Amino acid sequence: MANTQNFTIGFIIRAGRLSQGRAPIFARISIDGKRTEFSVKRSIPPELWNKEAGKVRPKSKEAAEINPFLDKVRKRPLECYSEALL
């Protein structure tokens, strides 16, 4: 039987929750239209966020630290999802 579930992982910021001029970053996982979010315990100034890419703008100082971290956060749920399909 083929698996027809739609599984996505993305990142967003919550600009409405600014603290000291920084917005928290959240991971959003969606499976078949149902979604959940959790904080990744990092924050950035909202003007550095690239909404389309779901990452920090690459020319900023913070991008070198945060973007690889977000890649690691994305990798683990994908691994778990792949294992669950086996």
Side-chain angles (χ1 to χ4, degrees):
M1 178 170 69
N3 186 326
T4 60
Q5 288 186 337
N6 185 16
F7 179 83
T8 60
I9 302 172
F11 297 97
I12 59 171
I13 63 168
R14 293 287 185 208
R17 296 184 185 177
L18 286 179
S19 175
Q20 300 175 351
R22 299 174 70 85
I25 302 172
F26 282 77
R28 178 182 283 172
I29 298 176
S30 299
I31 301 175
D32 286 340
K34 295 180 183 177
R35 65 183 182 200
T36 189
E37 296 175 1
F38 61 91
S39 173
V40 298
K41 308 292 188 217
R42 299 286 192 277
S43 62
I44 60 154
E47 62 272 9
L48 296 181
W49 187 251
N50 183 336
K51 184 177 180 179
E52 291 77 30
K55 291 186 173 189
V56 180
R57 296 189 191 278
K59 294 185 179 182
S60 68
K61 287 190 301 184
E62 295 176 330
E65 176 190 341
I66 294 177
N67 287 342
F69 174 77
L70 295 178
D71 291 338
K72 288 180 186 178
V73 170
R74 181 187 315 269
K75 184 179 176 183
R76 183 63 181 142
L78 286 172
E79 289 172 349
C80 292
Y81 181 73
S82 295
E83 287 175 14
L85 292 178
L86 296 178

